[in-house]
Amino acid sequence: MSSPLCISRCLVGGPLSQISFVQCGLLKVVSSQIVPDRSIGRSTKRRRTHPFRWWTKRRADSFKPQLTESNQEFLTDYMSVKFSSPLIIPDLDEYKNKSFAPDSKRVGLIARKLGTHPLWYKTGKRVLTTLLQVNDNHVIKCYSSEKFKDQVIFQDRWRYEGMACAIIGAEGAPIMKYSSAYAGLFNEAGTLPKRKITKMVISDDAILPPGTPLYAAHFRPGNFVDCFGRTIDHGFQGVMTRWDAAGQPKGRTTKADRRIGSIGRGRRTQGPLKGKKMPGHMGQERRTINGLEIMRINTKLNIIYVKGGSVPGENGNWVYIFDSKIFEKTPTIQKPPPFPTYFPEEEEELPENLYHPDIHQFSDPTIIFQETEEEKKKQRQGAKLAKIRLKK
């Protein structure tokens, strides 16, 4: 038990010796060496099981209007078709003339993971890609750097210093399913309530007006992106599945070949270390995969083909797509992306499919035969002989 005198010395901040720390329990003596006690301190929680208390209530109260099934279907179809586009069309002329700078940071996209699909290089090599579909993305609101700094918590003040913020929503839904408070968040943008909204940090020159639509053409084939999502949920798993442990030898203790074994460190060190790999919940973790190359974009269905099959999440999960943070793969002034985003124009329409220059397009011929000069001479001689025979 540490004395109150030592604790007061530790709190005051005066000249402290190693002995006072040992007496207070902040250090432990192991083999005549003073090392910090790892059992002291709180471990961070890995995931949240409940929403924040200040979040707006999304779901509406249970309300069942006295409508027939046909009338209910008519209302849902009318709300989903007629109001799928923004009611307020923003003026985008002043935003189209902006130029990309090295320190610019654009908004990202919210997509759903569809699965994997193979593509082929022009050399014949096969490459696996992941399909990410961008569904009904709109800018809900934007905050400048001056307004956003007042909303940032104190711990993140250095992280978001000088940055602006954009609220992005995806997949509009019928307004009857949500509360009036949640639906009121979209009045300024003039859109239906979104199934998914998120905050994205941007630069001041990349601010967009509320109601601006975002398409898959926000990126271009050949660009590198970072994909953020939640991994596949596997539930409670043991150490062999969760951490790829070797297990114990078979033929000894009953049913111990897949168990973890001893986790203690003796009496003096007081139990296992923090962060010990043990059985527990596997998956459902936030992960970011950096530096994935875009191989193909379908502008009609707003599908992005990302190289590799390592995008986190199951099929149907939400995935956030951003410009890559890797220094060698960030957008440059020599090859700038559509800034601040892609604005469709009536004069120039993009083709349905945009391919990476190294990807083989299915409309192109698979094999091209090149004739040599000798073969061409033989064909000419044969044509001359055929003409002479026809004259005879």
Side-chain angles (χ1 to χ4, degrees), residues 218-324:
H218 182 75
F219 301 101
R220 287 289 186 268
N223 295 350
F224 293 90
V225 295
D226 297 342
C227 295
F228 170 80
R230 287 182 177 269
T231 57
I232 299 176
D233 188 6
H234 295 277
F236 190 92
Q237 297 293 334
V239 290
M240 295 188 71
T241 305
R242 191 184 185 194
W243 303 111
D244 197 18
Q248 301 184 46
K250 294 183 179 181
R252 295 183 180 180
T253 308
T254 305
K255 298 181 180 180
D257 54 327
R258 297 186 66 87
R259 293 185 180 179
I260 188 173
S262 176
I263 62 174
R265 296 182 295 155
R267 181 177 179 183
R268 173 171 286 182
T269 50
Q270 298 179 357
L273 288 167
K274 281 186 176 292
K276 173 67 177 176
K277 295 181 179 179
M278 300 180 70
H281 191 277
M282 179 180 175
Q284 200 64 14
E285 298 285 347
R286 298 181 178 91
R287 290 289 181 270
T288 303
I289 305 299
N290 300 320
L292 300 180
E293 191 174 8
I294 297 178
M295 310 305 294
R296 176 184 172 186
I297 293 178
N298 189 320
T299 58
K300 183 179 180 180
L301 302 177
N302 283 329
I303 297 178
I304 301 175
Y305 294 71
V306 178
K307 184 178 181 180
S310 59
V311 176
E314 300 182 30
N315 294 341
N317 282 13
W318 298 104
V319 178
Y320 302 147
I321 311 174
F322 306 93
D323 289 325
S324 182

